[in-house]
Coordinates of all heavy atoms in Angstrom, one line a residue:
M1 N 14.4 101.5 5.2 CA 15.7 100.8 5.0 C 16.7 101.6 5.9 O 16.6 102.8 6.0 CB 16.2 100.9 3.6 CG 17.3 100.0 3.3 SD 18.0 100.2 1.7 CE 16.8 99.6 0.6
S2 N 17.6 100.9 6.6 CA 18.6 101.6 7.5 C 19.6 102.3 6.7 O 19.9 102.0 5.5 CB 19.2 100.5 8.4 OG 20.2 99.8 7.7
R3 N 20.2 103.4 7.3 CA 21.3 104.1 6.7 C 22.4 103.3 6.2 O 23.0 103.4 5.2 CB 21.7 105.2 7.8 CG 22.6 106.3 7.2 CD 23.2 107.1 8.3 NE 24.2 106.4 9.0 CZ 25.5 106.4 8.7 NH1 25.9 107.2 7.8 NH2 26.4 105.8 9.4
V4 N 22.8 102.3 7.1 CA 23.9 101.5 6.8 C 23.6 100.6 5.5 O 24.5 100.3 4.6 CB 24.4 100.6 8.0 CG1 25.4 99.5 7.6 CG2 24.9 101.5 9.1
K5 N 22.4 100.0 5.4 CA 22.0 99.3 4.3 C 22.0 100.1 3.0 O 22.5 99.6 2.0 CB 20.6 98.7 4.5 CG 20.5 97.2 4.2 CD 19.1 96.7 4.5 CE 19.1 95.2 4.7 NZ 17.8 94.7 5.1
M6 N 21.5 101.4 3.1 CA 21.5 102.3 2.0 C 22.9 102.6 1.5 O 23.2 102.6 0.3 CB 20.8 103.5 2.3 CG 19.3 103.4 2.1 SD 18.4 105.0 2.1 CE 18.3 105.4 3.8
L7 N 23.8 102.8 2.5 CA 25.2 103.1 2.2 C 25.9 101.9 1.5 O 26.7 102.2 0.6 CB 26.0 103.4 3.5 CG 26.2 104.9 3.8 CD1 26.8 105.1 5.2 CD2 27.0 105.6 2.7
R8 N 25.6 100.7 2.0 CA 26.1 99.5 1.4 C 25.8 99.5 -0.1 O 26.6 99.2 -1.0 CB 25.6 98.3 2.0 CG 26.7 97.5 2.7 CD 26.2 96.3 3.3 NE 26.3 96.2 4.7 CZ 25.7 95.5 5.6 NH1 24.8 94.7 5.1 NH2 26.0 95.6 6.8
I9 N 24.6 99.8 -0.5 CA 24.1 99.8 -1.9 C 24.6 100.9 -2.7 O 25.2 100.8 -3.7 CB 22.5 99.8 -2.0 CG1 21.9 98.6 -1.3 CG2 22.1 100.0 -3.3 CD1 20.4 98.7 -1.0
V10 N 24.6 102.2 -2.1 CA 25.1 103.4 -2.8 C 26.7 103.2 -3.0 O 27.1 103.5 -4.1 CB 24.9 104.6 -1.9 CG1 25.7 105.8 -2.4 CG2 23.4 105.0 -1.9
N11 N 27.4 102.7 -2.0 CA 28.8 102.6 -2.2 C 29.2 101.6 -3.3 O 30.1 101.8 -4.1 CB 29.5 102.2 -0.8 CG 29.5 103.3 0.1 OD1 29.2 104.5 -0.2 ND2 29.8 103.0 1.4
L12 N 28.5 100.4 -3.3 CA 28.7 99.4 -4.4 C 28.4 100.1 -5.8 O 29.3 99.9 -6.6 CB 27.8 98.2 -4.1 CG 28.0 97.0 -5.1 CD1 29.5 96.5 -5.0 CD2 27.0 96.0 -4.8
L13 N 27.2 100.7 -5.9 CA 26.9 101.3 -7.2 C 27.9 102.4 -7.5 O 28.4 102.6 -8.7 CB 25.5 102.0 -7.1 CG 24.3 100.9 -7.0 CD1 23.0 101.7 -6.9 CD2 24.3 100.0 -8.2
L14 N 28.4 103.2 -6.5 CA 29.3 104.3 -6.8 C 30.6 103.6 -7.3 O 31.2 104.2 -8.3 CB 29.6 104.9 -5.4 CG 30.2 106.3 -5.3 CD1 29.4 107.3 -6.3 CD2 30.1 106.8 -4.0
A15 N 31.1 102.6 -6.7 CA 32.3 101.9 -7.3 C 32.1 101.4 -8.7 O 33.0 101.7 -9.6 CB 32.7 100.8 -6.3
L16 N 31.0 100.7 -9.0 CA 30.8 100.2 -10.3 C 30.6 101.3 -11.3 O 31.2 101.2 -12.4 CB 29.6 99.3 -10.3 CG 29.6 98.0 -9.4 CD1 28.4 97.3 -9.4 CD2 30.8 97.1 -9.9
V17 N 29.8 102.3 -11.0 CA 29.6 103.4 -12.0 C 30.9 104.2 -12.2 O 31.2 104.6 -13.3 CB 28.4 104.3 -11.6 CG1 28.2 105.4 -12.5 CG2 27.1 103.5 -11.5
F18 N 31.6 104.4 -11.1 CA 32.9 105.1 -11.3 C 33.8 104.4 -12.3 O 34.4 105.0 -13.2 CB 33.6 105.3 -9.9 CG 35.0 106.0 -10.1 CD1 35.1 107.3 -10.5 CD2 36.1 105.2 -10.0 CE1 36.4 107.8 -10.7 CE2 37.4 105.7 -10.2 CZ 37.6 107.0 -10.5
I19 N 34.0 103.0 -12.1 CA 34.8 102.2 -13.0 C 34.4 102.4 -14.4 O 35.2 102.7 -15.3 CB 34.9 100.8 -12.5 CG1 35.6 100.7 -11.1 CG2 35.6 99.9 -13.5 CD1 35.5 99.4 -10.4
G20 N 33.0 102.3 -14.6 CA 32.4 102.4 -16.0 C 32.8 103.8 -16.6 O 33.3 103.8 -17.8
V21 N 32.4 104.8 -15.9 CA 32.6 106.2 -16.4 C 34.1 106.5 -16.6 O 34.4 107.0 -17.7 CB 32.0 107.2 -15.4 CG1 32.3 108.7 -15.8 CG2 30.5 107.0 -15.4
A22 N 34.9 106.3 -15.6 CA 36.3 106.6 -15.7 C 37.0 105.7 -16.8 O 37.8 106.3 -17.7 CB 37.0 106.4 -14.4
F23 N 36.7 104.4 -16.9 CA 37.3 103.5 -17.8 C 36.9 104.0 -19.3 O 37.7 104.1 -20.1 CB 36.9 102.1 -17.5 CG 37.5 101.1 -18.4 CD1 38.8 100.7 -18.2 CD2 36.9 100.5 -19.5 CE1 39.5 99.8 -19.0 CE2 37.5 99.5 -20.3 CZ 38.8 99.1 -20.0
G24 N 35.5 104.2 -19.5 CA 35.1 104.7 -20.8 C 35.8 106.0 -21.2 O 36.2 106.1 -22.4
G25 N 35.8 106.9 -20.3 CA 36.5 108.2 -20.6 C 37.9 108.0 -20.9 O 38.4 108.6 -21.9
L26 N 38.6 107.3 -20.1 CA 40.1 107.1 -20.3 C 40.4 106.3 -21.6 O 41.3 106.7 -22.3 CB 40.8 106.4 -19.1 CG 40.8 107.3 -17.8 CD1 41.2 106.4 -16.7 CD2 41.7 108.5 -18.0
V27 N 39.5 105.3 -21.9 CA 39.8 104.5 -23.1 C 39.6 105.5 -24.3 O 40.4 105.5 -25.3 CB 38.8 103.4 -23.2 CG1 38.8 102.8 -24.6 CG2 39.2 102.3 -22.3
R28 N 38.6 106.4 -24.3 CA 38.3 107.3 -25.5 C 39.4 108.3 -25.5 O 39.9 108.6 -26.6 CB 37.0 108.0 -25.4 CG 36.0 107.5 -26.4 CD 34.8 108.5 -26.6 NE 35.2 109.5 -27.5 CZ 35.1 109.4 -28.8 NH1 34.7 108.3 -29.4 NH2 35.4 110.4 -29.6
M29 N 39.9 108.8 -24.3 CA 41.0 109.7 -24.3 C 42.3 109.1 -25.0 O 43.0 109.9 -25.7 CB 41.4 110.0 -22.8 CG 41.8 111.4 -22.6 SD 42.1 111.6 -20.7 CE 40.6 112.3 -20.2
F30 N 42.5 107.9 -24.8 CA 43.8 107.4 -25.2 C 43.7 106.6 -26.6 O 44.7 106.4 -27.3 CB 44.4 106.4 -24.2 CG 45.0 107.2 -23.0 CD1 44.3 107.2 -21.8 CD2 46.1 108.0 -23.2 CE1 44.8 108.0 -20.8 CE2 46.6 108.8 -22.1 CZ 46.0 108.7 -21.0
T31 N 42.5 106.2 -26.9 CA 42.3 105.4 -28.3 C 41.5 106.1 -29.2 O 41.3 105.5 -30.4 CB 41.8 104.0 -28.0 OG1 40.4 104.0 -27.6 CG2 42.6 103.2 -27.0
G32 N 41.0 107.2 -28.9 CA 40.0 108.0 -29.8 C 38.8 107.2 -30.2 O 38.2 106.6 -29.3
D33 N 38.4 107.2 -31.5 CA 37.3 106.6 -32.0 C 37.3 105.1 -32.2 O 36.4 104.4 -32.5 CB 36.9 107.3 -33.3 CG 35.4 107.7 -33.3 OD1 34.9 108.1 -32.2 OD2 34.7 107.6 -34.3
S34 N 38.6 104.5 -32.1 CA 38.8 103.1 -32.6 C 38.1 102.1 -31.7 O 37.5 101.1 -32.3 CB 40.3 102.8 -32.7 OG 41.0 103.1 -31.6
L35 N 38.1 102.2 -30.4 CA 37.5 101.2 -29.6 C 36.0 101.5 -29.2 O 35.2 100.7 -29.1 CB 38.3 101.0 -28.3 CG 39.6 100.2 -28.4 CD1 40.3 100.1 -27.1 CD2 39.3 98.9 -29.0
I36 N 35.8 102.7 -28.8 CA 34.4 103.2 -28.5 C 34.0 104.4 -29.4 O 34.5 105.4 -29.3 CB 34.3 103.7 -27.0 CG1 35.0 102.6 -26.0 CG2 32.9 104.0 -26.7 CD1 35.1 103.1 -24.6
P37 N 33.1 104.0 -30.4 CA 32.7 105.0 -31.3 C 32.0 106.2 -30.5 O 31.4 106.0 -29.6 CB 31.8 104.4 -32.2 CG 31.9 103.0 -32.0 CD 32.5 102.7 -30.6
Y38 N 32.2 107.4 -31.1 CA 31.6 108.6 -30.4 C 30.1 108.5 -30.2 O 29.6 108.8 -29.1 CB 31.9 109.9 -31.2 CG 31.4 111.1 -30.5 CD1 32.0 111.5 -29.3 CD2 30.3 111.7 -31.0 CE1 31.5 112.7 -28.7 CE2 29.8 112.9 -30.3 CZ 30.3 113.3 -29.2 OH 29.8 114.4 -28.4
A39 N 29.4 107.9 -31.1 CA 27.9 107.8 -31.0 C 27.5 106.9 -29.7 O 26.7 107.2 -28.9 CB 27.3 107.1 -32.3
T40 N 28.3 105.8 -29.6 CA 28.1 104.9 -28.4 C 28.5 105.6 -27.1 O 27.7 105.6 -26.1 CB 28.9 103.6 -28.5 OG1 28.8 103.1 -29.8 CG2 28.6 102.6 -27.4
F41 N 29.6 106.3 -27.1 CA 30.2 107.0 -26.0 C 29.2 108.1 -25.5 O 28.9 108.3 -24.3 CB 31.5 107.7 -26.3 CG 32.1 108.5 -25.2 CD1 32.9 107.8 -24.2 CD2 32.0 109.8 -25.1 CE1 33.4 108.5 -23.2 CE2 32.6 110.5 -24.1 CZ 33.3 109.9 -23.1
N42 N 28.6 108.8 -26.6 CA 27.8 110.0 -26.3 C 26.4 109.5 -25.7 O 25.7 110.2 -25.1 CB 27.6 110.7 -27.5 CG 27.1 112.1 -27.2 OD1 27.4 112.7 -26.1 ND2 26.3 112.7 -28.1
Q43 N 26.1 108.2 -26.0 CA 24.8 107.7 -25.4 C 25.0 107.2 -24.0 O 24.0 107.3 -23.2 CB 24.3 106.5 -26.2 CG 23.4 106.9 -27.3 CD 22.9 105.7 -28.0 OE1 23.5 104.6 -28.1 NE2 21.7 105.9 -28.8
I44 N 26.1 106.7 -23.6 CA 26.4 106.1 -22.4 C 27.0 107.0 -21.3 O 26.6 107.1 -20.2 CB 27.2 104.7 -22.5 CG1 26.5 103.7 -23.4 CG2 27.6 104.1 -21.2 CD1 27.2 102.5 -23.9
H45 N 28.1 107.7 -21.7 CA 29.0 108.4 -20.8 C 28.2 109.5 -20.1 O 28.3 109.6 -18.8 CB 30.2 108.9 -21.5 CG 31.2 109.6 -20.6 ND1 32.1 109.0 -19.8 CD2 31.4 110.9 -20.4 CE1 32.8 109.8 -19.2 NE2 32.4 111.0 -19.5
P46 N 27.5 110.5 -20.7 CA 26.9 111.5 -20.0 C 25.8 111.0 -19.0 O 25.8 111.6 -17.8 CB 26.2 112.4 -21.1 CG 27.1 112.1 -22.4 CD 27.4 110.6 -22.2
I47 N 25.1 110.0 -19.3 CA 24.0 109.6 -18.4 C 24.6 108.8 -17.3 O 24.2 109.0 -16.1 CB 22.9 108.8 -19.1 CG1 21.7 108.6 -18.3 CG2 23.4 107.5 -19.6 CD1 20.8 109.8 -18.2
S48 N 25.7 108.0 -17.5 CA 26.3 107.4 -16.4 C 27.1 108.4 -15.5 O 27.2 108.2 -14.3 CB 27.1 106.1 -16.8 OG 27.9 106.5 -17.9
G49 N 27.6 109.4 -16.1 CA 28.3 110.5 -15.4 C 27.3 111.2 -14.4 O 27.6 111.5 -13.3
L50 N 26.1 111.4 -15.0 CA 25.0 112.0 -14.2 C 24.7 111.2 -13.0 O 24.5 111.6 -11.9 CB 23.8 112.4 -15.0 CG 22.7 113.1 -14.4 CD1 23.2 114.6 -14.0 CD2 21.5 113.2 -15.3
I51 N 24.5 109.9 -13.3 CA 24.2 108.8 -12.2 C 25.3 108.9 -11.2 O 25.0 108.9 -9.9 CB 24.0 107.5 -12.8 CG1 22.7 107.5 -13.6 CG2 23.9 106.4 -11.7 CD1 22.5 106.2 -14.5
F52 N 26.6 109.0 -11.6 CA 27.7 109.0 -10.7 C 27.6 110.3 -9.8 O 27.7 110.2 -8.5 CB 29.0 109.1 -11.5 CG 30.2 109.2 -10.7 CD1 30.7 108.1 -10.0 CD2 30.9 110.4 -10.6 CE1 31.8 108.3 -9.1 CE2 32.1 110.5 -9.9 CZ 32.5 109.4 -9.1
V53 N 27.3 111.5 -10.4 CA 27.2 112.6 -9.5 C 26.1 112.5 -8.5 O 26.2 112.9 -7.4 CB 26.9 113.9 -10.5 CG1 26.6 115.1 -9.7 CG2 28.1 114.1 -11.3
I54 N 24.9 112.0 -8.9 CA 23.8 111.7 -8.0 C 24.2 110.7 -6.8 O 23.9 111.0 -5.7 CB 22.5 111.2 -8.8 CG1 22.0 112.3 -9.6 CG2 21.4 110.7 -7.8 CD1 21.0 111.8 -10.7
L55 N 24.9 109.8 -7.2 CA 25.4 108.8 -6.2 C 26.4 109.4 -5.2 O 26.4 109.1 -4.0 CB 26.1 107.5 -6.8 CG 25.1 106.6 -7.5 CD1 25.8 105.5 -8.3 CD2 24.2 105.8 -6.5
V56 N 27.2 110.3 -5.7 CA 28.2 111.0 -4.9 C 27.4 111.9 -3.8 O 27.7 111.9 -2.7 CB 29.2 111.9 -5.7 CG1 29.9 112.9 -4.8 CG2 30.1 111.1 -6.5
I57 N 26.4 112.6 -4.4 CA 25.5 113.4 -3.5 C 24.8 112.6 -2.4 O 24.9 113.0 -1.2 CB 24.5 114.2 -4.3 CG1 25.2 115.4 -5.1 CG2 23.5 115.0 -3.4 CD1 24.4 116.0 -6.3
A58 N 24.3 111.4 -2.8 CA 23.7 110.5 -1.8 C 24.7 110.0 -0.8 O 24.4 109.9 0.4 CB 23.0 109.3 -2.6
H59 N 25.9 109.7 -1.3 CA 27.0 109.3 -0.4 C 27.3 110.3 0.7 O 27.5 110.0 1.8 CB 28.2 108.9 -1.2 CG 29.4 108.4 -0.4 ND1 29.6 107.1 -0.1 CD2 30.5 109.2 0.0 CE1 30.8 107.1 0.6 NE2 31.2 108.3 0.7
I60 N 27.4 111.6 0.2 CA 27.8 112.6 1.1 C 26.6 112.9 2.1 O 26.8 112.9 3.3 CB 28.1 114.0 0.3 CG1 29.4 113.8 -0.4 CG2 28.1 115.2 1.3 CD1 29.8 114.9 -1.4
Y61 N 25.3 112.8 1.6 CA 24.1 113.0 2.5 C 24.1 111.9 3.5 O 23.9 112.2 4.8 CB 22.9 112.9 1.6 CG 21.6 113.0 2.3 CD1 21.1 114.2 3.0 CD2 20.9 111.8 2.6 CE1 20.0 114.2 3.7 CE2 19.7 111.8 3.3 CZ 19.3 113.0 3.8 OH 18.1 113.0 4.6
L62 N 24.4 110.7 3.2 CA 24.3 109.5 4.1 C 25.4 109.5 5.2 O 25.4 109.0 6.2 CB 24.2 108.2 3.4 CG 23.0 108.0 2.6 CD1 23.2 106.7 1.7 CD2 21.8 107.7 3.5
N63 N 26.5 110.2 4.8 CA 27.6 110.3 5.7 C 27.8 111.7 6.4 O 28.8 112.1 6.9 CB 29.0 110.1 4.9 CG 29.1 108.5 4.7 OD1 29.1 107.8 5.7 ND2 29.4 108.2 3.4
F64 N 26.7 112.5 6.3 CA 26.9 113.9 6.7 C 27.1 114.0 8.2 O 27.8 114.9 8.6 CB 25.6 114.7 6.3 CG 25.9 116.2 6.2 CD1 26.8 116.6 5.1 CD2 25.6 117.1 7.0 CE1 27.2 117.9 5.0 CE2 25.9 118.4 6.9 CZ 26.7 118.8 5.9
N65 N 26.6 113.1 9.0 CA 26.9 113.2 10.5 C 28.4 113.0 10.7 O 28.9 113.7 11.6 CB 26.1 112.1 11.2 CG 24.6 112.6 11.4 OD1 24.4 113.7 11.3 ND2 23.8 111.6 11.6
W66 N 29.0 112.2 10.0 CA 30.5 111.9 10.1 C 31.1 113.2 9.7 O 32.1 113.6 10.3 CB 30.8 110.7 9.2 CG 32.3 110.3 9.4 CD1 32.8 109.4 10.3 CD2 33.4 110.9 8.8 NE1 34.2 109.4 10.2 CE2 34.6 110.3 9.3 CE3 33.6 111.9 7.8 CZ2 35.9 110.6 8.8 CZ3 34.8 112.2 7.3 CH2 36.0 111.5 7.8
I67 N 30.8 113.8 8.6 CA 31.4 115.0 8.0 C 31.2 116.1 9.1 O 32.3 116.8 9.4 CB 30.8 115.4 6.6 CG1 31.1 114.3 5.6 CG2 31.3 116.8 6.2 CD1 30.3 114.5 4.3
K68 N 30.0 116.3 9.7 CA 29.8 117.3 10.7 C 30.8 117.1 11.9 O 31.4 118.0 12.4 CB 28.4 117.3 11.1 CG 27.5 118.3 10.5 CD 26.2 118.6 11.1 CE 25.4 117.3 11.5 NZ 24.0 117.5 11.6
A69 N 30.8 115.9 12.4 CA 31.5 115.5 13.6 C 33.1 115.7 13.3 O 33.8 116.1 14.3 CB 31.3 114.0 14.0
N70 N 33.5 115.5 12.1 CA 35.0 115.5 11.9 C 35.5 116.8 11.2 O 36.7 117.1 11.3 CB 35.4 114.3 11.0 CG 35.3 113.0 11.8 OD1 36.2 112.7 12.5 ND2 34.2 112.3 11.6
Y71 N 34.6 117.4 10.5 CA 35.1 118.7 9.8 C 34.5 120.0 10.2 O 35.0 121.0 10.1 CB 35.0 118.5 8.2 CG 35.9 117.6 7.6 CD1 35.5 116.3 7.2 CD2 37.3 118.0 7.5 CE1 36.4 115.4 6.6 CE2 38.2 117.1 6.9 CZ 37.8 115.9 6.5 OH 38.7 115.0 5.9
L72 N 33.2 119.8 10.6 CA 32.4 121.0 11.0 C 32.2 121.3 12.4 O 31.4 122.1 12.8 CB 31.0 121.0 10.2 CG 31.1 120.7 8.8 CD1 29.7 120.5 8.2 CD2 31.9 121.8 8.0
K73 N 33.0 120.6 13.3 CA 32.8 120.8 14.7 C 33.4 122.1 15.1 O 34.5 122.5 14.5 CB 33.3 119.6 15.5 CG 34.8 119.4 15.4 CD 35.3 118.1 16.2 CE 36.6 117.8 15.7 NZ 37.0 116.4 16.0
K74 N 32.8 122.7 16.1 CA 33.3 124.0 16.6 C 34.5 123.9 17.5 O 34.6 122.9 18.2 CB 32.1 124.7 17.4 CG 31.0 125.2 16.5 CD 30.2 126.2 17.3 CE 29.0 126.7 16.4 NZ 27.7 126.2 16.8
K75 N 35.4 124.8 17.3 CA 36.6 124.7 18.2 C 36.3 125.2 19.6 O 35.5 126.2 19.7 CB 37.7 125.7 17.6 CG 38.4 124.9 16.4 CD 39.5 125.9 15.9 CE 40.0 125.3 14.5 NZ 40.3 126.3 13.6
K76 N 36.9 124.6 20.6 CA 36.6 125.1 22.0 C 37.3 126.4 22.3 O 38.5 126.6 21.8 CB 37.0 124.0 23.0 CG 36.0 122.9 23.1 CD 36.4 121.9 24.1 CE 35.5 120.7 24.1 NZ 36.0 119.6 24.8
Ligands
HEM101 C1 35.3 110.0 -13.9 C2 36.1 110.3 -14.9 C3 35.7 110.7 -16.3 C4 36.6 110.7 -17.3 C5 38.0 110.1 -17.3 C6 35.9 111.4 -18.4 C7 36.4 111.5 -19.6 C8 35.9 112.1 -20.7 C9 36.4 112.3 -22.0 C10 37.8 111.9 -22.5 C11 35.5 113.0 -22.8 C12 35.7 113.4 -24.3 C13 35.3 112.3 -25.2 C14 35.6 112.6 -26.6 O1 34.8 113.6 -27.2 O2 36.4 112.0 -27.2 C15 34.3 113.3 -22.0 C16 33.2 113.9 -22.4 C17 32.1 114.1 -21.6 N1 31.9 113.8 -20.3 FE1 33.3 112.8 -19.1 N2 34.7 111.8 -18.0 C18 34.5 111.5 -16.6 C19 33.5 111.8 -15.8 C20 32.4 112.5 -16.3 C21 31.2 112.8 -15.4 C22 31.1 112.5 -13.9 C23 30.3 113.4 -16.1 C24 28.9 113.9 -15.9 C25 28.6 114.6 -14.8 C26 30.8 113.4 -17.5 C27 30.2 114.0 -18.6 C28 30.7 114.2 -19.9 C29 30.0 114.8 -21.0 C30 28.5 115.4 -20.9 C31 30.9 114.7 -22.1 C32 30.6 115.3 -23.4 C33 30.1 114.3 -24.4 C34 29.9 114.9 -25.7 O3 30.8 115.3 -26.4 O4 28.7 115.0 -26.1 N3 32.1 112.9 -17.5 N4 34.5 112.7 -20.7

């Protein structure tokens, strides 16, 4: 699979998982146990958080040439 195709999939998943993890966390932060019970939160949030971190690492890996060219280039 080409890098661009992989990035398209990774970026879409990254956006969806981020929305889920952040939304769930913020809802619990502001509404406590009333909307999302702790048992449910504890089953979904840590595993989707871990998937989010793995997707971030994949995103950085797939864009590493861009990072090297823009941030890690040597000064003349
Ligand atoms: C992206 C935004 C995130 C927000 C807003 C958020 C918010 C929260 C909140 C409010 C809690 C405490 C819930 C409670 O006890 O009432 C929590 C717990 C936790 N979060 Fe997140 N979180 C985020 C991302 C992540 C990520 C990326 C990970 C994993 C790498 C993660 C892993 C955990 C874990 C392991 C707990 C503890 C669950 C437990 O008490 O057993 N979170 N988060």
Side-chain angles (χ1 to χ4, degrees):
M1 196 189 291
S2 75
R3 191 187 74 91
V4 171
K5 229 178 197 172
M6 277 196 275
L7 261 174
R8 244 185 239 159
I9 295 167
V10 166
N11 289 347
L12 179 64
L13 292 176
L14 203 48
L16 295 175
V17 175
F18 173 74
I19 291 167
V21 171
F23 186 75
L26 290 170
V27 167
R28 252 197 84 82
M29 210 179 265
F30 290 106
T31 67
D33 226 35
S34 54
L35 285 181
I36 308 174
Y38 182 70
T40 310
F41 180 82
N42 199 29
Q43 266 184 339
I44 298 170
H45 184 81
I47 194 77
S48 44
L50 184 65
I51 292 168
F52 177 73
V53 171
I54 291 166
L55 287 168
V56 168
I57 292 168
H59 177 88
I60 290 170
Y61 174 77
L62 291 169
N63 283 306
F64 207 67
N65 282 340
W66 187 93
I67 292 169
K68 262 198 308 205
N70 288 279
Y71 285 108
L72 308 175
K73 61 185 168 199
K74 289 196 180 108
K75 284 182 190 143
K76 280 182 190 169

